[in-house]
Amino acid sequence: MTTHSRRLFCQAAGVAAGSLLNLEGLSAAVEAASTPGQRPRLKITDVRTAVTGSLHVRIYTDQGLFGHGEAVDSISGAVPIIQGFRWLLMGQDPLKVEAHWERIRTSGIFAGAQAGQYITALTAVEIALWDLAGKALGVPIYQLLGGKTRERVRVYCDSGTNNRADPNAKQFISQIIDLGFTAAKIDVDDAADPARFDRVNWTANNAEVDHIVDKVAFMRESLPKNIELAVDMHGRFDLGSAKRVAKELEPFRLLWLEEPVPPENIDAMADVRQSTHTPICCGENLFLRHGFREVLEKKAADIIMPDVQKCGGLLEARKIADMAHTYYVPMAPHAQASPMGSMATCHVMAAIPNALVLEWHWGHPARRTEQWKRYVKEGDIIQKGYITVSDRPGIGLEMDDDFVKTLLRPGSSWFAPSVA
Ligand code: MG
């Protein structure tokens, strides 16, 4: 942007050049002062991080506008990874999202950019770029991903209970029903099951299989018929155990059985799927389109579940969903993210045709639910088991910085400026 056009742009926004632009003013100015071919030229001035239970990334520009991205799970080494590739973004136009993503990914092929922490770090950056692009252009992210196919996204509750001996079970199950969820999920892998003979090997004996079946039976008895139930085996069991459990759970007509075997061997996952008519779901530990190609080609899953906060980003999740759609496979993203990340995922789920349901993991313990409600200034974004997709620019939520700062991981900075 030239000095002259920058002055005009800032005048349109109603603020003095060089001062911090407010978001609504900036979006209005972009709409008034730009055409698709003549949008304001933003330059990236910094990439900063903060780590809570999630990795948060903010990308700043010379116009005072920033984008926010979140990543989860494989984040322990993400901050130095981002500082390592930050120079590829400095001074660049943030709206060239795909170009930046591909450049960062291909520049890291000898540094682990095929999966894991590198891709998780890149994911947070990619989401921040989309938030920034949406804010700069004055449109919600779903508009940049193809537009809306649905107004709201169905959410399921990871229940926090799974057995009749749990004194809190009644309370958690009542919560699922009272909050209006139409689906729930339980975990059935139990390293502390007294029937286990070995602390390391995960071959399920008869008693363990009985315990798993009883957990599912208890939840199925406790939930109304119209609330669907998914079951997670957390990728721990061996192939024979997984096939036994999948078969024994067939009468419960599950929404899905998740990661019945570990995620690395797709042939084993396909073997389980072929052995049962219980639907098989996997993908929370896979990365990029490349991670899902084999799952789809080998027909290893009825449902895929990339975690949009670690699989590569919003556009990558859209591409994974599109690949799956050609196999008539729906997508039900795994999610641990805060409301910021969850809403970012909802922009993808709004845009794709084959969205099934989104995970909500903050129902247990109660303290986490309070965090969920306070995380963004808009409050609880889940209403009656659905998230209405924001129509505001970018992700469309404002993080409550004062509150989230209290969750900062010891030793983490709060979006401190990068050292040049
Ligand atoms: Mg899982």
Side-chain angles (χ1 to χ4, degrees), residues 156 158 185 187 231-235 256 258-259 281 284-285 305 334 336 359 361:
Y156 72 86
D158 195 287
K185 187 167 85 182
D187 302 333
V231 171
D232 192 352
M233 294 177 74
H234 276 139
W256 69 69
E258 183 171 323
E259 289 197 318
C281 178
E284 72 173 271
N285 293 306
M305 55 172 339
H334 176 265
Q336 297 271 6
E359 181 166 17
H361 218 284

Side-chain angles (χ1 to χ4, degrees), residues 162-310:
N162 64 7
N163 70 86
R164 44 188 103 237
D166 178 2
N168 296 314
K170 212 172 168 186
Q171 181 201 333
F172 287 127
I173 291 165
S174 298
Q175 178 180 279
I176 294 167
I177 298 166
D178 296 345
L179 292 176
F181 287 104
T182 56
K185 187 167 85 182
I186 61 167
D187 302 333
V188 294
D189 56 305
D190 182 4
D193 189 324
R196 291 192 68 189
F197 295 123
D198 191 290
R199 300 297 297 170
V200 180
N201 178 43
W202 280 86
T203 305
N205 58 48
N206 285 344
E208 284 179 86
V209 173
D210 286 346
H211 293 165
I212 290 171
V213 172
D214 189 59
K215 285 171 183 167
V216 177
F218 167 66
M219 291 300 292
R220 202 52 283 173
E221 289 160 16
S222 305
L223 291 169
K225 212 174 173 181
N226 62 343
I227 297 182
E228 296 183 294
L229 182 65
V231 171
D232 192 352
M233 294 177 74
H234 276 139
R236 302 197 198 281
F237 292 90
D238 62 22
L239 179 58
S241 305
K243 289 164 87 166
R244 281 189 67 193
V245 170
K247 199 76 186 164
E248 299 225 18
L249 295 181
E250 284 178 354
F252 296 102
R253 303 171 74 190
L254 298 179
L255 178 56
W256 69 69
L257 183 64
E258 183 171 323
E259 289 197 318
V261 287
E264 306 90 349
N265 187 331
I266 305 303
D267 288 311
M269 195 74 73
D271 197 348
V272 179
R273 188 191 177 210
Q274 284 158 17
S275 73
T276 180
H277 60 249
T278 294
I280 301 301
C281 178
C282 68
E284 72 173 271
N285 293 306
L286 301 176
F287 296 83
L288 305 174
R289 279 157 285 167
H290 313 285
F292 286 86
R293 182 180 60 84
E294 196 180 354
V295 171
L296 295 165
E297 287 178 351
K298 291 185 171 172
K299 302 178 176 59
D302 296 273
I303 300 159
I304 56 161
M305 55 172 339
D307 191 315
V308 179
Q309 273 68 46
K310 74 183 204 190

